Amino acid sequence: MIQLPGLIDPHVHVREPGQTHKEDWDTATQSALAGGVTAILAMPNTKPPIFDDATLELALSAARNKARCDYAQFVGAGPDNAEALSALANQSAGLKMYLDSTFGELRLDDMSLWTPHFINFPKHIPIVLHSESRTMAAGILFAAIYDRPIHIAHISLKEEVLLIKAAKERGIKVTCEVAPHHLFLDKDLTGLTPGRLEVRPRLASQADVNALWENLDVIDCFATDHAPHTVAEKDSASPPPGFPGLETMLPLLLNAVNEKRLTLNILIEKMHSNPCRIFNIPEQQETYVEVDENAAWEIRAADLHSRCGWTPFEGWKVKGRVRRVVLRGQIAFEDGKILAQPGYGRNIRA
Amino acid sequence: MIQLPGLIDPHVHVREPGQTHKEDWDTATQSALAGGVTAILAMPNTKPPIFDDATLELALSAARNKARCDYAQFVGAGPDNAEALSALANQSAGLKMYLDSTFGELRLDDMSLWTPHFINFPKHIPIVLHSESRTMAAGILFAAIYDRPIHIAHISLKEEVLLIKAAKERGIKVTCEVAPHHLFLDKDLTGLTPGRLEVRPRLASQADVNALWENLDVIDCFATDHAPHTVAEKDSASPPPGFPGLETMLPLLLNAVNEKRLTLNILIEKMHSNPCRIFNIPEQQETYVEVDENAAWEIRAADLHSRCGWTPFEGWKVKGRVRRVVLRGQIAFEDGKILAQPGYGRNIRA
């Protein structure tokens, strides 16, 4: 049995407000605890998006009532809310900017719209970018020009990890995360319907996957980008992109530790120490995760707590299982059972 | 009568080798002289492209025989010629990198392919980027990371000029040029067939055009991006993008001086002093251009020297006309007549 600190997932789509048929603050945080995750940072592209005072309160009041693990809520950058968001910064997980193909209130097509956010948002709270390939490079240039930290969400490409490496060596304040599906799956994956394969960033080439593994030292965090959609939605004619991931991240990575693809120290660094530092997350007292590193089991969606009802890792055999999660002195999860109650979770920014 | 120094056009598509039915070193340099331009820098995306020792010699031997004004030839970055090109740097105008939508030998889709060029190409010879919008930002990040000068070709957008301004303020070694058609035309232009409107970067919005004029101090050079295609090609079912411009740039800008939209000093700075500095072009001795700033006339393709046979400025009435061009002590152009002979032009890198 191994004891880990409480894991932090800085990239979770809780789907509440607005799409609670996919997930909500209750089911997302159950999934988190079952996956050894004791704090989640929730993304703002809900319905409505979290982009001002009122919508932030909408998300936080749902979380207050339902969350079973700790949490914070990102606010989303829009074309004209930079000043309003800077006033909300300390109540938020950080500022999320969608720089590739997002619509509605969070659309930021023109780079001129990025500038007020980089100028206004306080430097001690991170800006997280959804930015792929050249857009990522553009985002890093903004970090260099405005001399403030940014965190790149879900990198997936060789060109991305190599450019972040070069930018870090140059002293630019950039950190990044990778999602397990970009470490363990590639675009040649078979056995999933086309709709279930849809994810953004897309699954990449084997060369890209290899480059991520070869440059693991450049990657600061593992993050799920947990993005649940129902089976019916994924198998529909217009499948939305996204995979669930909260409950499978740690087992997949423990399995990789077992396979000597990374060490436990690296796992702890990228799932606890680094996210705590980057996102200014205070240490959760009396919080730890017990895992049986030798338990072999098979991932089955039927056993998971997400409302979405499927996983791209269905049938995968892994070694390493979460046995118990203790959150602030209370057993929150044990042997498959969620013991923390709705509302037990705390807002880490409160 | 006003006397100007010999003007430098750092962005000319001569079309030779390979497409001499559109233009060649003779007609391009006739157009240049008639436009008050005494040195041109030729782009490498010819057929074949200029991307190694042999193709550079192909272009330079044609220029040696035919050019009537001075010149230098860019070499083009490809996926695997970074080391070869660094050895040719001193014989070239500079390194051109096509970072948006180019095919064949000069294709550089993956940002990882940019790196060896930024590392290898000597810092005293410029790298010129065709890079629009976010790709431009990515290119500027490379300049910041590898701490070397870059020159952005044909900017056209508000977001581009504002980002270059911010990058310059931060000390990043970036310069840029704007083409007259992006200063005088916008996407709502009427009166041209769809094929003749095709140009890359595309004609932009009036707001973009206004931003270029409002930030003229950020723009280092005027450059034609002279890209001749025949009337038949432009009016075909698949019209290639590009405008001719060598012979209309100075008249249009003199007209703008007459309209008090810029000063003669700014014109000289952006068409002579700055390009000479940025591209390391030695002063052309006994070289000057005499213009009649009060001569009103109408631009007509029939009077121009380019082989392409059309201009997007057909019928424009302008005030300001080139009367005489003296190049290295010889009258090269006078009152509509080209007097310099083919082969009079010198390679400024020889």
Side-chain angles (χ1 to χ4, degrees):
Chain A
M1 206 75 96
I2 297 171
Q3 185 171 307
L4 303 173
L7 305 180
I8 313 295
D9 185 353
H11 198 139
V12 175
H13 296 273
V14 171
R15 302 301 188 205
E16 185 172 15
Q19 296 183 303
T20 52
H21 67 286
K22 299 177 198 266
E23 199 80 290
D24 69 3
W25 278 95
D26 183 357
T27 54
T29 53
Q30 286 188 49
S31 250
L33 289 170
V37 171
T38 54
I40 62 170
L41 305 187
M43 285 295 152
N45 60 341
T46 46
K47 295 195 170 177
I50 310 308
F51 73 115
D52 62 9
D53 197 37
T55 50
L56 179 58
E57 179 49 29
L58 205 57
L60 292 182
S61 68
R64 214 175 287 129
N65 291 327
K66 296 186 178 176
R68 297 175 192 246
C69 73
D70 294 350
Y71 60 87
Q73 171 67 51
F74 281 101
V75 290
D80 52 16
N81 65 350
E83 287 191 30
L85 292 188
S86 69
L88 296 174
N90 287 325
Q91 301 166 55
S92 75
L95 175 66
K96 179 71 182 287
M97 299 180 71
Y98 288 93
L99 305 183
D100 287 299
S101 63
T102 290
F103 304 93
E105 287 89 342
L106 304 186
R107 184 158 196 157
L108 293 168
D109 281 339
D110 188 310
M111 290 190 293
S112 304
L113 298 173
W114 306 2
T115 306
H117 292 288
F118 274 83
I119 289 175
N120 282 285
F121 207 73
K123 290 191 182 184
H124 68 287
I125 310 275
I127 291 182
V128 177
L129 306 185
H130 179 137
S131 61
E132 304 179 31
S133 185
R134 292 163 186 209
T135 301
M136 184 203 78
I140 297 175
L141 176 66
F142 271 72
I145 288 176
Y146 296 102
D147 192 26
R148 64 149 299 138
I150 59 167
H151 178 78
I152 308 292
H154 45 52
I155 69 165
S156 64
L157 301 175
K158 177 181 177 180
E159 63 171 4
E160 292 171 348
V161 73
L162 293 182
L163 187 53
I164 290 172
K165 179 182 162 82
K168 284 183 171 190
E169 286 168 359
R170 186 76 193 159
I172 300 173
K173 299 181 179 78
V174 56
T175 56
C176 69
E177 68 190 31
V178 68
H181 51 267
H182 289 124
L183 284 175
F184 294 108
L185 307 177
D186 68 65
K187 69 184 176 57
D188 299 319
L189 179 67
T190 54
L192 287 187
T193 61
R196 298 206 190 185
L197 283 170
E198 284 293 339
V199 67
R200 297 292 176 280
R202 290 183 168 80
L203 296 179
S205 70
Q206 188 61 53
D208 290 309
V209 173
N210 293 346
L212 297 179
W213 280 104
E214 285 158 16
N215 292 281
L216 219 47
D217 58 325
V218 177
I219 295 165
D220 300 278
C221 307
F222 296 134
T224 59
D225 190 11
H226 179 81
H229 300 285
T230 65
V231 167
E233 289 166 339
K234 291 298 277 183
D235 291 347
S236 74
S238 53
F243 295 164
L246 269 167
E247 219 160 327
T248 47
M249 174 163 66
L250 179 57
L252 288 164
L253 289 165
L254 285 172
N255 192 61
V257 171
N258 258 308
E259 291 175 345
K260 312 255 186 258
R261 301 185 73 185
L262 77 163
T263 67
L264 213 49
N265 278 344
I266 290 174
L267 185 152
I268 293 169
E269 174 191 290
K270 296 188 197 309
M271 298 178 83
H272 176 78
S273 328
N274 288 349
C276 282
R277 189 191 73 247
I278 293 165
F279 294 97
N280 280 312
I281 297 172
E283 200 64 39
Q284 297 173 291
Q285 301 299 316
E286 294 179 71
T287 297
Y288 55 90
V289 177
E290 288 176 8
V291 300
D292 180 348
E293 73 276 26
N294 294 314
W297 60 292
E298 188 180 312
I299 295 173
R300 282 186 302 255
D303 300 332
L304 305 179
H305 295 77
S306 168
R307 191 164 285 153
C308 75
W310 75 286
T311 165
F313 300 104
E314 183 75 33
W316 281 45
K317 291 179 177 59
V318 291
K319 207 164 156 188
R321 187 159 207 172
V322 180
R323 284 295 178 206
R324 182 183 293 120
V325 176
V326 174
L327 173 55
R328 288 183 276 101
Q330 303 291 319
I331 300 177
F333 172 86
E334 193 167 36
D335 290 329
K337 290 198 180 61
I338 307 289
L339 300 175
Q341 294 304 303
Y344 182 70
R346 283 192 197 162
N347 183 349
I348 59 174
R349 292 290 194 254
Chain B
M1 210 70 100
I2 297 172
Q3 185 170 306
L4 303 174
L7 305 180
I8 313 295
D9 185 354
H11 198 137
V12 174
H13 296 274
V14 171
R15 303 301 187 204
E16 184 171 15
Q19 297 182 305
T20 53
H21 67 286
K22 299 176 199 269
E23 199 79 289
D24 70 2
W25 278 95
D26 184 355
T27 53
T29 53
Q30 287 188 48
S31 250
L33 289 171
V37 170
T38 53
I40 62 170
L41 305 187
M43 285 295 152
N45 60 341
T46 45
K47 296 195 172 180
I50 310 308
F51 72 114
D52 61 10
D53 197 37
T55 50
L56 179 59
E57 179 50 29
L58 206 57
L60 291 180
S61 69
R64 212 175 288 128
N65 292 328
K66 295 186 180 178
R68 297 176 191 245
C69 74
D70 294 349
Y71 60 86
Q73 172 66 51
F74 281 100
V75 290
D80 51 15
N81 65 350
E83 286 190 32
L85 291 189
S86 69
L88 296 174
N90 287 324
Q91 302 167 54
S92 74
L95 175 66
K96 180 70 182 286
M97 299 180 71
Y98 289 92
L99 305 184
D100 288 297
S101 62
T102 291
F103 303 92
E105 287 90 341
L106 304 186
R107 184 157 198 159
L108 292 168
D109 280 340
D110 188 311
M111 291 189 294
S112 304
L113 298 173
W114 306 1
T115 305
H117 292 288
F118 273 83
I119 289 175
N120 282 285
F121 207 73
K123 291 191 181 184
H124 68 288
I125 311 274
I127 291 182
V128 177
L129 306 186
H130 179 138
S131 61
E132 304 179 31
S133 185
R134 293 164 186 208
T135 302
M136 183 202 79
I140 297 175
L141 176 66
F142 272 72
I145 288 175
Y146 296 102
D147 192 27
R148 64 150 298 138
I150 58 166
H151 178 78
I152 308 291
H154 45 51
I155 69 165
S156 65
L157 302 175
K158 177 181 177 181
E159 64 171 3
E160 291 171 349
V161 73
L162 292 182
L163 186 53
I164 290 172
K165 178 183 163 82
K168 283 183 171 190
E169 286 167 359
R170 185 79 192 157
I172 300 172
K173 299 181 178 78
V174 56
T175 55
C176 69
E177 68 189 34
V178 69
H181 51 267
H182 290 123
L183 285 175
F184 294 109
L185 307 177
D186 68 65
K187 69 185 176 55
D188 299 319
L189 180 67
T190 54
L192 287 187
T193 60
R196 298 206 190 185
L197 283 170
E198 285 292 339
V199 66
R200 297 292 177 276
R202 289 184 168 82
L203 296 180
S205 72
Q206 189 59 57
D208 290 309
V209 173
N210 293 346
L212 297 178
W213 281 102
E214 285 158 15
N215 293 282
L216 219 48
D217 58 324
V218 177
I219 295 164
D220 300 278
C221 307
F222 296 134
T224 60
D225 190 12
H226 180 81
H229 300 286
T230 65
V231 167
E233 289 166 339
K234 291 298 276 183
D235 292 346
S236 74
S238 53
F243 295 163
L246 269 168
E247 218 159 329
T248 47
M249 175 164 65
L250 180 56
L252 289 165
L253 289 165
L254 286 172
N255 192 60
V257 171
N258 258 307
E259 291 176 344
K260 313 258 187 254
R261 302 186 72 183
L262 77 164
T263 66
L264 212 51
N265 278 345
I266 290 173
L267 185 152
I268 292 169
E269 174 191 290
K270 296 187 196 309
M271 299 179 81
H272 176 78
S273 328
N274 287 349
C276 282
R277 189 191 73 246
I278 293 166
F279 294 97
N280 280 313
I281 297 172
E283 201 61 40
Q284 297 173 291
Q285 300 300 316
E286 293 179 72
T287 297
Y288 56 89
V289 178
E290 287 175 8
V291 300
D292 180 348
E293 73 276 25
N294 294 313
W297 60 292
E298 187 180 313
I299 296 173
R300 283 187 300 255
D303 300 333
L304 305 179
H305 295 76
S306 168
R307 192 163 284 152
C308 74
W310 76 285
T311 165
F313 299 104
E314 182 76 32
W316 281 45
K317 291 178 176 61
V318 291
K319 206 164 155 187
R321 186 159 208 170
V322 180
R323 284 296 178 204
R324 182 184 293 120
V325 176
V326 174
L327 173 55
R328 288 182 275 102
Q330 303 290 319
I331 300 177
F333 172 86
E334 193 168 37
D335 291 328
K337 290 200 181 61
I338 306 288
L339 300 175
Q341 294 303 303
Y344 182 69
R346 283 191 195 162
N347 184 350
I348 59 174
R349 292 289 196 254

